[in-house]
Amino acid sequence: MPSFTPQTKDMQFVLHEVLNAPAQDIPGYDELDRDFTAAVLEEAGKLASEVLQPLNAVGDTEGCVLENGVVRTPKGFKDAFDMMREGGWTALDCDPDYGGQGLPYLVNTAVGEMMSASNMAFNMYPGLTHGAYSAIHAHGSDAQKATFLPKMVTCEWTGTMNLTEPHCGTDLGLMRTKAVPQEDGSYKVTGQKIFISAGDHDMSENVIHLVLAKIPGGPEGIKGVSLFIVPKFLVKEDGSLGERNGVSVGKIEEKMGIHGNSTCVMNYDEAEGYLIGEMHKGMRAMFTMMNEARIGVGLQGYAQAVVAYENALAYAQDRLQGRDITGAKNPDGPADPLIVHPDIRRNLMDQKSFVEGARAFAFWGANLIDRAHRNKDADADGLISLMTPVIKGFLTDKGFEMATNAQQVYGGHGYIEEWGMSQFARDARIAMIYEGANGVQALDLVGRKLSQDGGKHVMAFFDMIKAFCKEHDGDEMAAFITPVKAASKDLQAAGMYFMQNGMKNPNHALAGSYDFMHLFGHVCLGYMWARMAKAAQDALAGGASDVAFYETKLATARYYLARQLPMTATHLARIQSGADTVMSLDAANF
């Protein structure tokens, strides 16, 4: 069976030596000294490895069951959920005014990696609740916040987001769910939503659904969509629970993975709902939740790669197969361990260089979110808006790829369920699809984010890369800087191609959008590896005692920059080939 050991040492390296979090001028960061973050990560790691990880296979094999209108979660889930709530893990970065601990989002991200790696399906229950909390916190009325947030912070009540309908997914303007206004200011919500993660379960007293619906007489399309709070149980004025609302589970979806999470068809039959924010401005409020969710899904993608790599590495070190071509490394045994073989090394190095680079990228993104929210920094907000489709799309694509690479290390055993590797691949697969399929992320990046605020934010990103390269080029960092400069030039060339050709024929930009997202992702990880290399060099120059750790960092950085970052040239060539070959066939000829 698989195991999970939290990578707290590497997290500490990113927090303190790459980001230097306590020295940043962000409110609350001065409290993030090494001892504090070590204590938080250690305790979270215990919950993840000792409680959640053993339930991962249980959730996968048992799944959720719908019984008499109530969803039953797998054995052990409720007790684990109670432990998570009682430990305060659901409230880490929530507002203290509503019972939260007020810690930075960066801390929540580090903890979230461990929770997702240990049991992705389980962690979706508090994760979705956090997103619903954020939407209500940002757009709800004072009365709505007072009514719903304290219980959602503690996960006594959990939350969902309800967007998709049987006939519409990405094109939400086609939705049919309606909300009819009532004399008391509430609405009667009627319609059906599908693919609703954590739509119902037996681990909380109430489920607070955030539902997109149209108010009759409003504008057509997406401009007529509003957002509503629709609780499973109505809430009385004193805060206690009242009667069951007109919302029910039609069925639980049978899925490829994340079986431990209840993905439901939700039926709304004149359910009582309450408008959040302005009428017909529902997408503005929902995007608060969706953008947070997209970053969280990016984390899910690389977290599955983290745990898959850990197990593949252990297997490669233990499994005896063949002899090293340069000479036996285990002469007293019948064969050498798998890890002596160059192709296994290549596979493992692909995984290692990705997961450690992705961790730094995700933590840096969380750092930008903290700066945007806590410092009211518009530049940071613009930069993380640009990065969101890259974090979601690139990290989930590559996370799934690395999970299947880890499976490959096992050979035939990787395809057998008892070894558990297939679950990582099956669970990781959904991350490429939900919260906006990755093709949509690429279109968002090229179609909206590049030109946002006149292209200010992408230019700021290029300036940041340029400044870092200029500061460190010419010394021991030259070997790390040169490939990053080349990759950045590829990214700029791709952007220039879109500017020169996209206006004439938009398909030239759209056909290259997916390659652009991956090109951008590689540049981001290359930049992260250059920063990690600098931190490792500084530590070694300062007489660090753990020489092997930092030398390993440098070796892994060299690998990524030599073996993965050159993919930017391939992506650029594809982009510059334009749309003609992509669009040449008539639809009937496929």
Side-chain angles (χ1 to χ4, degrees):
M1 294 295 292
S3 62
F4 173 64
T5 303
Q7 301 300 303
T8 54
K9 184 172 184 176
D10 198 61
M11 292 180 182
Q12 287 283 77
F13 169 72
V14 176
L15 290 173
H16 296 284
E17 297 176 66
V18 179
L19 297 177
N20 196 10
Q24 294 194 31
D25 62 341
I26 300 175
Y29 269 48
D30 57 334
E31 300 176 4
L32 303 183
D33 59 58
R34 279 184 176 272
D35 290 342
F36 177 78
T37 56
V40 171
L41 295 178
E42 181 182 359
E43 290 304 312
K46 288 180 181 177
L47 178 65
S49 60
E50 298 175 9
V51 178
L52 302 187
Q53 191 277 330
L55 293 174
N56 197 39
V58 175
D60 188 50
T61 54
E62 289 189 10
C64 297
V65 180
L66 180 61
E67 295 179 345
N68 300 319
V70 177
V71 174
R72 306 296 180 190
T73 52
K75 185 171 62 177
F77 268 45
K78 189 177 188 308
D79 289 342
F81 197 70
D82 290 342
M83 290 181 65
M84 176 178 274
R85 291 194 308 99
E86 291 163 6
W89 298 108
T90 64
L92 283 180
D93 66 327
C94 295
D95 190 339
D97 288 345
Y98 302 102
Q101 298 180 39
L103 291 173
Y105 184 71
L106 177 59
V107 176
N108 193 62
T109 299
V111 170
E113 177 194 313
M114 293 186 280
M115 302 303 182
S116 287
S118 63
N119 196 326
M120 176 174 159
F122 177 93
N123 198 53
M124 290 169 64
Y125 293 98
L128 284 156
T129 304
H130 190 285
Y133 153 88
S134 295
I136 296 172
H137 190 272
H139 302 282
S141 67
D142 289 342
Q144 288 171 342
K145 294 177 188 178
T147 298
F148 296 104
L149 294 190
K151 297 283 190 179
M152 295 178 74
V153 166
T154 61
C155 273
E156 292 172 82
W157 299 352
T158 55
T160 71
M161 56 192 295
N162 288 234
L163 291 78
T164 307
E165 299 183 8
H167 58 282
C168 71
T170 301
D171 191 355
L172 292 171
L174 298 175
M175 72 174 55
R176 297 172 185 158
T177 300
K178 64 180 181 179
V180 179
Q182 305 297 299
E183 291 185 1
D184 63 359
S186 67
Y187 291 77
K188 292 297 184 184
V189 178
T190 301
Q192 185 179 78
K193 299 289 184 177
I194 63 172
F195 305 158
I196 308 307
S197 300
D200 193 77
H201 55 89
D202 55 1
M203 300 190 297
S204 66
E205 298 172 355
N206 203 0
V207 181
I208 311 304
H209 302 287
L210 297 193
V211 183
L212 287 177
K214 290 184 174 181
I215 299 171
E220 292 295 318
I222 201 68
K223 294 181 178 179
V225 173
S226 301
L227 183 64
F228 300 88
I229 298 174
V230 184
K232 174 181 175 180
F233 290 99
L234 299 177
V235 182
K236 298 178 182 178
E237 290 187 5
D238 63 0
S240 63
L241 297 183
E243 63 185 21
R244 178 73 182 256
N245 204 357
V247 53
S248 61
V249 179
K251 69 171 184 176
I252 299 176
E253 303 283 9
E254 295 186 14
K255 310 183 297 293
M256 176 179 175
I258 56 169
H259 297 150
N261 195 269
S262 52
T263 306
C264 299
V265 173
M266 303 300 301
N267 296 320
Y268 294 87
D269 184 11
E270 294 195 337
E272 185 170 315
Y274 318 103
L275 180 69
I276 302 180
E278 298 180 51
M279 187 182 298
H280 311 315
K281 302 292 185 183
M283 289 308 298
R284 180 185 302 173
M286 183 58 88
F287 262 111
T288 296
M289 187 172 186
M290 287 176 67
N291 284 332
E292 176 181 314
R294 285 172 176 174
I295 292 171
V297 170
L299 184 149
Q300 287 181 338
Y302 89 81
Q304 290 306 289
V306 167
V307 66
Y309 164 66
E310 174 191 332
N311 285 276
L313 174 60
Y315 187 84
Q317 291 171 328
D318 182 66
R319 176 75 166 175
L320 302 181
Q321 291 284 286
R323 287 296 188 190
D324 186 341
I325 196 170
T326 64
K329 297 298 187 289
N330 180 34
D332 295 331
D336 290 330
L338 280 173
I339 200 167
V340 306
H341 303 301
D343 191 62
I344 295 293
R345 292 287 188 100
R346 172 203 57 78
N347 191 335
L348 292 171
M349 285 297 288
D350 281 350
Q351 296 174 55
K352 179 179 175 63
S353 63
F354 168 73
V355 298
E356 293 179 15
R359 175 178 295 122
F361 185 27
F363 283 22
W364 177 62
N367 182 202
L368 288 175
I369 291 172
D370 282 331
R371 184 167 293 281
H373 292 173
R374 291 174 175 245
N375 291 37
K376 308 301 180 185
D377 188 325
D379 290 337
D381 189 55
L383 190 53
I384 191 58
S385 178
L386 172 69
M387 292 298 158
T388 296
V390 184
I391 290 172
K392 196 281 185 185
F394 182 70
L395 295 190
T396 59
D397 274 357
K398 300 300 286 187
F400 173 72
E401 179 185 334
M402 296 307 150
T404 58
N405 283 1
Q407 190 179 26
Q408 188 75 12
V409 171
Y410 282 70
H413 291 295
Y415 201 67
I416 302 300
E417 289 294 339
E418 69 178 275
W419 288 87
M421 298 305 290
S422 70
Q423 184 184 354
F424 300 137
R426 288 186 285 103
D427 287 357
R429 186 64 183 87
I430 186 56
M432 302 162 68
I433 299 172
Y434 60 14
E435 307 308 339
N438 286 354
V440 175
Q441 302 302 318
L443 295 178
D444 178 48
L445 175 62
V446 171
R448 294 180 62 246
K449 299 301 176 62
L450 287 185
S451 61
Q452 190 173 349
D453 296 328
K456 172 183 177 181
H457 306 300
V458 72
M459 294 308 299
F461 176 76
F462 288 136
D463 288 343
M464 180 178 62
I465 297 285
K466 183 177 179 180
F468 181 85
C469 291
K470 184 177 181 180
E471 180 182 357
H472 300 294
D473 202 4
D475 56 19
E476 293 183 356
M477 282 290 294
F480 303 100
I481 294 301
T482 300
V484 173
K485 289 168 65 175
S488 180
K489 288 179 181 178
D490 286 343
L491 185 62
Q492 293 177 64
M496 185 62 66
Y497 175 85
F498 291 153
M499 290 179 61
Q500 294 172 343
N501 298 276
M503 293 298 290
K504 302 173 189 175
N505 181 358
N507 281 341
H508 285 314
L510 300 183
S513 61
Y514 212 95
D515 278 287
F516 187 82
M517 180 179 72
H518 273 249
L519 199 168
F520 210 140
H522 277 298
V523 171
C524 289
L525 259 65
Y527 172 53
M528 290 298 114
W529 271 116
R531 290 184 62 173
M532 288 190 282
K534 182 65 173 70
Q537 285 187 346
D538 288 347
L540 290 170
S545 58
D546 194 350
V547 173
F549 176 84
Y550 296 107
E551 289 185 342
T552 298
K553 277 292 172 195
L554 293 173
T556 310
R558 293 187 190 99
Y559 181 89
Y560 190 87
L561 299 177
R563 299 282 302 218
Q564 292 294 325
L565 195 56
M567 282 300 298
T568 59
T570 298
H571 290 301
L572 175 61
R574 291 173 178 170
I575 290 166
Q576 291 177 333
S577 72
D580 292 344
T581 56
V582 174
M583 305 300 293
S584 62
L585 287 183
D586 291 334
N589 294 333
F590 273 82

